[in-house]
Amino acid sequence: MFKKALAIFIFFVCLTWSSGAQAGFGISPPYLKTDKPIFPGANYEQTITLLRSSAEDELTAKITVNAPEIESWIAIDKGYSFDLPKGQLRVPMMVRVNVPDSAEIGDYKGYINVKIVPKVQSGGSGVSIALGARIDIDLRITDKAFLDFNVRRVSIPDFEQLGTPWKWPIFSWFFYRTKVEMKIENTGNIKVAPSKVHIDVYDLTEKELLESYDDNSIEKVEPFKTETVVASFPTKLKPGQYWGKIKIYKDKDIIYKDKIAFTVMTHGELPSGTKIGVWPWVLLSLYVSLVLLFVYILIRIKIWVYIYLVLYFISFPIRFIWKVVARLIKKLKLKFWKWMHQKASKYQEPPKDEDK
């Protein structure tokens, strides 16, 4: 009875001593696993959040992996020992699984231990209670492909007309575009993207279809990741407000559709400006280079002489007609001035006889 009472007393003393630093600890989620099996050579990432009920002191998290077959596959972005800062109740850590190409097909299990201790432990008779949690590992390696994704968010950003010279057709086709931004969650084990994104642009009354385009070249998202990808469409829209009716396809099935309003502004009205990057300048340099190359080729092969001869013979009828017309005009001028001279001579007074 005395030993039991002593044990309870010691427990409460230790708990009271350590309650300020380690009041409570947990993790979310308490597992490391994928929704679908993954390929050999695949990379998988999962965020696990370390939670504590009090953050009055700075603590240290110590990580150990107990999974003999796959321990070398697992890495922690913060390392196997890192601090939980004072005042921060939630500390995320990224667990990365890099499956080697030589991994055998099958199921792999294990666990990760997370131990929380005070950052600085005093020597001597001080007593501290280390808190901990366990993350279960459950991975399945397969050679079968699973293709699936979810559309989490879709938007059409406002944009503005381009300035000179980028508004010229040779540039605007590439850089004056309506863009649809999509947040795609890849739940499969291979790279994936929507097979097609379709947009119909209407005026505000939705009575007139102004533009209709497809984009089949969407950037793919890595397995088990969520990223924002963009579909872009050439446009000739003038400043104003429009409706964009969007359809997102997976193969031939429509998995998402929505109607979104957006605005086209005149050049200089967009608060953030138009960020076209370096590619317009690259394209301009390419055009100039092509023109210079064409002129250089013409000079090198002395084609100017042949062009002159071709133009000379082609223009022969025009030159002949011009000469005939010029001669006719010259004759008409002579006749006109001769006639004017005759008319004027009639009104001239006859010369006086000086002898009279």
Side-chain angles (χ1 to χ4, degrees), residues 3-23:
K3 291 183 178 179
K4 185 177 181 181
L6 181 62
I8 293 174
F9 175 75
I10 293 173
F11 171 77
F12 278 107
V13 170
C14 294
L15 183 62
T16 302
W17 184 90
S18 60
S19 61
Q22 307 167 43

Side-chain angles (χ1 to χ4, degrees), residues 40-90:
N43 298 313
Y44 173 70
E45 295 181 349
Q46 181 176 319
T47 300
I48 296 177
T49 305
L50 280 56
L51 308 167
R52 51 180 174 158
S53 60
S54 175
E56 296 178 0
D57 295 295
E58 189 171 13
L59 303 180
T60 298
K62 296 184 180 295
I63 312 297
T64 56
V65 179
N66 191 343
E69 291 182 288
I70 60 174
E71 184 175 347
S72 61
W73 302 1
I74 297 173
I76 311 296
D77 66 335
K78 298 178 182 295
Y80 290 93
S81 179
F82 56 89
D83 294 335
L84 278 62
K86 182 178 178 180
Q88 190 170 341
L89 296 175
R90 302 166 59 92

Side-chain angles (χ1 to χ4, degrees), residues 252-297:
K252 295 182 180 180
D253 299 326
I254 299 173
I255 64 169
Y256 183 95
K257 61 180 180 179
D258 198 2
K259 182 179 73 172
I260 302 174
F262 66 98
T263 303
V264 180
M265 305 178 186
T266 57
H267 180 66
E269 284 188 351
L270 192 66
S272 59
T274 301
K275 299 177 181 178
I276 56 177
V278 300
W279 288 111
W281 297 100
V282 173
L283 186 60
L284 177 60
S285 300
L286 178 62
Y287 286 152
V288 173
S289 300
L290 290 175
V291 171
L292 293 177
L293 179 62
F294 179 72
V295 173
Y296 174 77
I297 292 173

Side-chain angles (χ1 to χ4, degrees), residues 17 79 92 94 116 123 153 197 236 259 263 276 323 336 339:
W17 184 90
M94 180 73 71
I116 304 300
R153 187 176 65 248
V197 178
K236 296 180 181 179
K259 182 179 73 172
T263 303
I276 56 177
K323 288 181 179 180
F336 173 76
W339 177 77

Side-chain angles (χ1 to χ4, degrees), residues 352-356:
K352 296 180 179 181
D353 192 356
E354 297 180 354
D355 295 337
K356 293 183 179 181

